Amino acid sequence: MVLSENKIKKLIDVAKAMVADSKGLLAMDESYPTCNKRFAKLGIPETEELRRDYREMIVTTAGLNESISGAILFDETIRQHLKDGSSFIEILAGNKIIPGIKVDAGTVAMAGHPGEKITEGLDGLRDRLSEYAQMGLQFAKWRAVITIGEGIPTQACLEANAHALARYAVLCQEEGIVPIVEPEVLMDGSHTMERCFEVTEQVLHTVFSQLYTQGVVLEGMILKPNMVVPGLLCEKQESINEVADATVKCLLRTVPAAVPGIAFLSGGQSSELASARLNAMNVRFKTKLPWGLSYSFGRAIQQPALDIWHGKEANVPEAQKALYHRAWCNRAARLGEYNAEMEKK
Ligand code: 13P
C-alpha cells in the first residue's frame, strides 16, 4: 500500500499507545440488538436515552484512564451528548482515552454455508471512515465470527471473513485510522481446547495471509483474537495455566512480530477468569514475546457495573466503582500482577 511516511508514523504511534504497557481497551460498542439484549436480561427499558445514560456512566468514571488507553464506541454514541453538552468523543479525548469506533455492520448467515456467518459493512466504508476521522476517531474495529461445529468452519468461511477483515484494515489505514482486526472463534459448544487451538491457528494463518496480500501495514494495526479455550459445554475445562500456554503457543505460530499488540476479547468468559488467564500469559511469557498482550474486553469489564446500574441514576456511583475495579484488575493482569486477593472487596 502507498502510504506517506507521516501517515505510517501516526498509525504506529496510535497502535502503540493503544497497548501501552499498563493499559488496554474498553469495548463499549454494542450494536442496538446486542445492547438491547443485555438490557432486556435485566429488565432495563431498551431506549436510546437509557443507552446514552449507561454510556455516560461509563465514560465519566473517575480514574478510568489509569487502566484504559482507548474506548471502542458505537455509531449511535458518537452522535449523542453528555448531560453537560459535551460529546462522548470530547470527554474521552479530554481524559486521554483514545476514541475508536466499531465500523462493521454485523453478521449475517453466509450463503451456501449453513451454520456459518459473514460480516457485512464494506460498501460505503471509505466514506464512513472519512467522516469518522474528521470527528476525531483514531481507531476502528471489525469483528468476524467463526463457529466451531460439525464440519465447520469451512475454508470458504475462513477465507471470506479474512478477506473482508483485510479489505477493512487497508481502508482504515488509508484514512489514517488504526484497524483492530478481530476474528473471533466462538466459545459456544462442546468442542475441546485442542479443537479451539486447531481452528484458531487456521483462522489466524488465513487472516495474516490476507492482510499481507492486501498490503496492510502490520506495525499499524492491533489484533483482537479469542483466547484458546475449551467450549463452554466441554466436560474438560483446562486450568488457567493450560489456557495461557495454549493461547501463547498458538499466537507465536501465527502472529508476525511486527504487530505491536494483541488485545483479547473476553467472549463470554467470567470477568475473573478473563483477568486470571491474561495475567497467567503475562506472568509466564511477557518478557519473551515480540508483542504486548493486553485486553479489549466488553462484558468482562462492563458486566458487574451493568448489573449494579440497572438503569437507575441512583446506582451510578456504585456501578462506577465496579467498572473502575474491573478495569484496574485487568491493568494488573496486563502487568502480570493480578491475584485473586484483588477480588475481595
Ligand atoms: P467481549 O469482551 O464481551 O467479547 O466483547 C469484545 C468485543 O468487542 C466483541 O466484538
Side-chain angles (χ1 to χ4, degrees):
M1 192 192 347
V2 196
L3 289 181
S4 68
E5 294 269 317
N6 266 353
K7 204 169 248 182
I8 293 177
K9 185 180 176 313
K10 189 193 149 215
L11 289 171
I12 294 174
D13 288 348
V14 172
K16 281 189 182 156
M18 288 164 69
V19 288
D21 200 41
S22 55
K23 296 190 187 180
L25 303 166
L26 168 61
M28 49 179 290
D29 61 331
E30 297 82 6
S31 59
Y32 301 115
T34 306
C35 191
N36 287 343
K37 197 168 75 187
R38 308 237 158 103
F39 278 16
K41 240 184 179 170
L42 296 169
I44 302 168
E46 299 153 40
T47 65
E48 178 178 344
E49 192 48 28
L50 278 165
R51 287 193 296 273
R52 196 212 64 80
D53 289 351
Y54 176 60
R55 284 157 173 161
E56 172 155 354
M57 181 279 287
I58 294 178
V59 300
T60 56
T61 298
L64 200 60
N65 59 5
E66 294 161 22
S67 346
I68 300 297
S69 55
I72 317 173
L73 304 169
F74 180 54
D75 187 86
E76 177 184 56
T77 314
I78 61 169
R79 302 176 198 285
Q80 292 174 325
H81 291 84
L82 279 75
K83 290 199 186 87
D84 71 4
S86 53
S87 77
F88 280 79
I89 298 174
E90 278 162 5
I91 194 94
L92 287 169
N95 284 332
K96 306 241 172 319
I97 295 178
I98 308 168
I101 179 89
K102 175 227 277 302
V103 302
D104 66 67
T107 59
V108 292
M110 189 169 149
H113 294 82
E116 298 194 288
K117 293 197 159 140
I118 181 76
T119 303
E120 296 197 318
L122 286 172
D123 287 353
L125 181 57
R126 181 180 264 144
D127 292 340
R128 287 196 287 132
L129 287 168
S130 164
E131 187 200 6
Y132 290 148
Q134 278 165 27
M135 290 176 88
L137 295 154
Q138 298 189 51
F139 68 90
K141 184 191 99 172
W142 179 289
R143 173 174 175 257
V145 173
I146 310 296
T147 309
I148 298 180
E150 201 56 40
I152 59 173
T154 61
Q155 193 59 28
C157 172
L158 299 192
E159 282 180 16
N161 274 294
H163 184 254
L165 275 167
R167 286 200 51 211
Y168 138 82
V170 82
L171 280 162
C172 285
Q173 291 190 332
E174 179 187 84
E175 201 50 66
I177 289 179
V178 173
I180 296 181
V181 172
E182 180 181 10
E184 174 174 5
V185 177
L186 295 179
M187 289 168 67
D188 301 332
S190 56
H191 55 269
T192 60
M193 185 176 81
E194 286 75 22
R195 179 80 180 122
C196 179
F197 185 105
E198 205 175 86
V199 171
T200 304
E201 184 178 15
Q202 203 183 352
V203 166
L204 292 176
H205 274 307
T206 312
V207 166
F208 278 100
S209 163
Q210 282 292 333
L211 293 173
Y212 176 72
T213 304
Q214 299 296 329
V216 173
V217 179
L218 297 179
E219 292 83 353
M221 63 160 273
I222 299 294
L223 178 71
K224 175 163 172 166
N226 51 285
M227 296 183 192
V228 173
V229 291
L232 284 169
L233 299 176
C234 180
E235 262 175 40
K236 184 170 175 212
Q237 292 288 320
E238 277 77 1
S239 69
I240 288 166
N241 284 346
E242 284 169 327
V243 165
D245 291 359
T247 303
V248 169
K249 183 175 176 185
C250 187
L251 295 171
L252 280 170
R253 284 189 181 182
T254 51
V255 185
V259 173
I262 295 173
F264 292 102
L265 59 96
S266 59
Q269 305 174 64
S270 73
S271 300
E272 286 84 0
L273 208 46
S275 301
R277 286 167 168 167
L278 175 62
N279 183 65
M281 288 181 226
N282 279 316
V283 167
R284 294 157 85 80
F285 304 104
K286 189 176 170 66
T287 56
K288 303 181 195 125
L289 299 174
W291 7 253
L293 287 185
S294 186
Y295 48 91
S296 176
F297 295 159
R299 282 161 287 180
I301 293 181
Q302 290 184 47
Q303 197 60 49
L306 175 60
D307 291 343
I308 294 169
W309 176 67
H310 233 105
K312 304 213 164 59
E313 180 70 26
N315 297 335
V316 165
E318 279 307 305
Q320 290 185 327
K321 257 193 228 163
L323 189 78
Y324 178 86
H325 174 70
R326 278 273 44 93
W328 186 258
C329 286
N330 288 310
R331 175 187 192 275
R334 169 84 181 88
L335 294 166
E337 293 170 0
Y338 170 82
N339 61 65
E341 285 296 301
M342 292 178 70
E343 302 295 353
K344 294 187 184 141
K345 305 263 163 68

